Amino acid sequence: MLVNIVRRLRADGDGGSALVSVLVIMLVLSIGALSLAAIVTNTSGVVVDSRSTAQSRAAADAGLADVVAGLKRGDLSCPASGVTLSDSDITVDGSGSPAYDYAVTCGAGFATITSYSEVDGARTGVQAVYSYSEAPEGVGDMVFFGTGNVTFTHEVDTAATGRLLNIVVPQASFTCQNHIPANITARGDISANGGCTIDGAATSAAGVLDMCCGTDTIKGNVTTGGTGTSTVRGTLGGSLHTNGRITFGWEGKSVAGSVTANGNVSLGNVRIQGTLTMPTASTLNTQSGVVSGGVVRTATVAGPVAPTLPSWFEYKFAAADWPGFTIVTLAASGSGPGTCGYFNSSPGTGWTSLASYASPTIIDARNCGTFSSNNGSNPNIAIKTNIVLLAKGFDLTTLQVRGATGLSAKPKLWVMTEDPTPGDSKPTCGSGYGALKINGTVIATSVKAIAYSPCKIDVAGGAGGIDDQWNGTFYGGGWNYGGGLTFTADPIGVPGMGIDESTGGGAAGLGTLISQRDVAWEDVG
């Protein structure tokens, strides 16, 4: 076009002015082109910045929601006051998606949860504050004292409605051989012995983690306070913090979070999605392993904060603890109503008579030795009111208890052996006392029951071809297992234990949202 203009101007004899005109036109067109390019570039930059900001915001919000949900489910646990629970580089939706970091602090009745995300330089921080209740001492859905290892085989089925169970072993180790939808807290080692899946966190106060096989999975965070070597051949869905060495296996498994070790680390062919933190003086044997978040070396590495393990909750029977209950004390001799024989001997009429009680009643069977339904009568009872069974030992063979129809609330059942020496902070299974035996015993979900005994809770299982079922709480001086059991958590305690039956076993947990706001971005990693 410019050539044609020049030719016309030359034909008219205006060659000098033609050049000037062409230059002016070229200048105008160049400025226009540059302006358009700048507009396009700036618009593209704005679009990129807006997309990065939106992705950063979405990732931080998703992280906050995920951490809050984990705390409410029990997958994550509120740290002790003055301690921060944190993790970094957690992807929102798998590899390649935006990631977030989080930090949790708890204390003075509040839990503060903060989530951060950075996408292409766009940074977002969001924080929420919730009310927070501490767990009463000794509370759990299944609590087993004693120094014998507690093992859940494939025959032990456990469940809790809308949450994870809390299983506490204050003096011993725990072994998993099944799917357990729970948080596990133990003093000793936590072992996954093939076919184990723990849906929540696993915490050892003084032991190590031993995952024997590639079929094992722990979905929550794992912390171990022992200085020995932890062996990890399975999959970890959270982070791992040990106070000792770690040996990973060659099963091609992964750690979704970060790893902190206070000793040597051998990676095998594990993939750690987060960081690996270990002492400068310790040896890292990389082998075929991958640490996506990088290796962090520091002069010293602090061990995990030890959990507060409960002391034994001692209960010695006192009538004043049971206002509104009528006490029926059984005589040691005889076979009629009001005697031990009325229950212990065939036809076991005393057991079926429990269905006739219309107001809260305590059956005081401490004169009976072992209080037994193992007399061939196979009692099947529908109770209408709250019942306390108090004895020095129990044999609940083929006893079945359910709630009567038409009740406004579940009746409660306390199966209790009192601790004869309160004040020594340990379970005392004294002379003349015995185990609480469950064998072909069914406590239906229409009843809420606690088995409390300073002696062992002995699950035999299978009597009469009946698998054991228990709806409620176990709290025992030990655990002896030898048969099929289905346990459903339904919180109930003995007087003074402090269980809030409306909040899941009295477990610590988040309450209501108090505030939520944007905060300045920080580097958690």
Side-chain angles (χ1 to χ4, degrees):
M1 181 181 71
L2 294 174
V3 174
N4 291 333
I5 293 171
V6 171
R7 286 175 179 170
R8 290 193 189 102
L9 291 172
R10 282 178 177 173
D12 293 337
D14 294 325
S17 61
L19 181 58
V20 174
S21 299
V22 169
L23 292 174
V24 171
I25 293 171
M26 289 180 65
L27 180 60
V28 171
L29 292 176
S30 297
I31 292 172
L34 291 172
S35 299
L36 180 59
I39 292 171
V40 171
T41 301
N42 290 337
T43 301
S44 299
V46 170
V47 171
V48 171
D49 289 344
S50 297
R51 183 172 63 248
S52 299
T53 300
Q55 290 178 338
S56 173
R57 164 66 62 180
D61 287 342
L64 183 66
D66 191 42
V67 175
V68 168
L71 288 166
K72 287 185 174 182
R73 289 192 307 266
D75 298 345
L76 299 174
S77 300
C78 233
S81 179
V83 177
T84 299
L85 171 69
S86 64
D87 204 349
S88 58
D89 297 324
I90 304 168
T91 56
V92 173
D93 190 23
S95 179
S97 65
Y100 66 88
D101 307 342
Y102 73 82
V104 179
T105 59
C106 299
F110 299 99
T112 302
I113 305 105
T114 312
S115 174
Y116 307 101
S117 181
E118 180 179 11
V119 178
D120 294 333
R123 295 173 169 178
T124 303
V126 290
Q127 185 179 87
V129 178
Y130 282 79
S131 61
Y132 175 72
S133 59
E134 299 285 349
E137 180 179 319
V139 167
D141 298 299
M142 305 176 86
V143 182
F144 303 111
F145 283 77
T147 56
N149 181 77
V150 173
T151 299
F152 278 20
T153 71
H154 69 279
E155 293 180 309
V156 179
D157 293 324
T158 51
T161 302
R163 64 178 179 89
L164 297 175
L165 287 88
N166 292 303
I167 299 174
V168 184
V169 185
Q171 296 175 307
S173 299
F174 182 86
T175 299
C176 165
Q177 299 175 353
N178 192 14
H179 174 220
I180 305 176
N183 295 305
I184 312 294
T185 305
R187 175 175 294 280
D189 298 343
I190 294 179
S191 300
N193 203 16
C196 165
T197 297
I198 296 173
D199 285 349
T203 305
S204 166
V208 299
L209 173 66
D210 183 9
M211 299 180 78
C212 83
C213 309
T215 57
D216 296 323
T217 299
I218 300 177
K219 296 182 180 180
N221 293 330
V222 178
T223 58
T224 64
T227 57
T229 300
S230 289
T231 301
V232 183
R233 293 192 170 95
T235 299
L236 297 181
S239 293
L240 170 62
H241 190 172
T242 78
N243 197 30
R245 303 172 295 276
I246 307 175
T247 298
F248 289 97
W250 292 87
E251 288 75 14
K253 300 302 178 179
S254 64
V255 179
S258 296
V259 174
T260 302
N262 195 14
N264 300 336
V265 177
S266 296
L267 291 181
N269 66 346
V270 73
R271 175 176 288 275
I272 299 172
Q273 302 291 2
T275 58
L276 168 61
T277 302
M278 58 185 296
T280 305
S282 296
T283 300
L284 172 61
N285 189 353
T286 304
Q287 299 170 310
S288 298
V290 175
V291 182
S292 299
V295 178
V296 179
R297 294 277 199 163
T298 60
T300 59
V301 173
V305 177
T308 302
L309 294 170
S311 57
W312 170 255
F313 183 85
E314 296 184 283
Y315 181 71
K316 186 171 178 62
F317 178 77
D321 295 332
W322 304 90
F325 280 74
T326 299
I327 300 176
V328 177
T329 302
L330 302 184
S333 60
S335 59
T339 69
C340 296
Y342 195 52
F343 288 83
N344 286 1
S345 301
S346 182
T349 307
W351 290 103
T352 56
S353 72
L354 296 179
S356 65
Y357 289 106
S359 59
T361 302
I362 297 170
I363 305 298
D364 184 352
R366 287 176 290 180
N367 294 326
C368 303
T370 298
F371 195 37
S372 177
S373 59
N374 190 8
N375 52 37
S377 63
N378 302 324
N380 192 328
I381 312 159
I383 60 175
K384 298 188 288 287
T385 189
N386 296 336
I387 302 289
V388 176
L389 303 178
L390 177 65
K392 293 181 177 179
F394 290 90
D395 182 349
L396 303 181
T397 296
T398 65
L399 172 67
Q400 299 187 53
V401 183
R402 66 188 188 280
T405 58
L407 300 178
S408 59
K410 291 182 183 182
K412 299 173 184 177
L413 176 65
W414 289 264
V415 182
M416 297 193 312
T417 297
E418 65 179 350
D419 191 315
T421 57
D424 60 0
S425 298
K426 62 182 180 180
T428 304
C429 188
S431 176
Y433 285 69
L436 195 162
K437 185 176 182 180
I438 297 170
N439 187 16
T441 306
V442 176
I443 305 299
T445 55
S446 55
V447 174
K448 181 183 297 196
I450 182 172
Y452 172 93
S453 174
C455 305
K456 288 184 177 180
I457 295 177
D458 184 357
V459 179
I466 303 169
D467 286 339
D468 293 321
Q469 299 177 38
W470 194 279
N471 187 72
T473 299
F474 279 169
Y475 197 97
W479 165 258
N480 187 45
Y481 173 76
L485 168 70
T486 298
F487 177 91
T488 304
D490 200 351
I492 176 174
V494 298
M497 188 174 277
I499 286 183
D500 181 352
E501 297 178 4
S502 65
T503 59
L510 296 186
T512 57
L513 175 65
I514 296 174
S515 66
Q516 184 167 330
R517 64 191 179 106
D518 289 353
V519 294
W521 182 89
E522 293 183 14
D523 185 1
V524 172

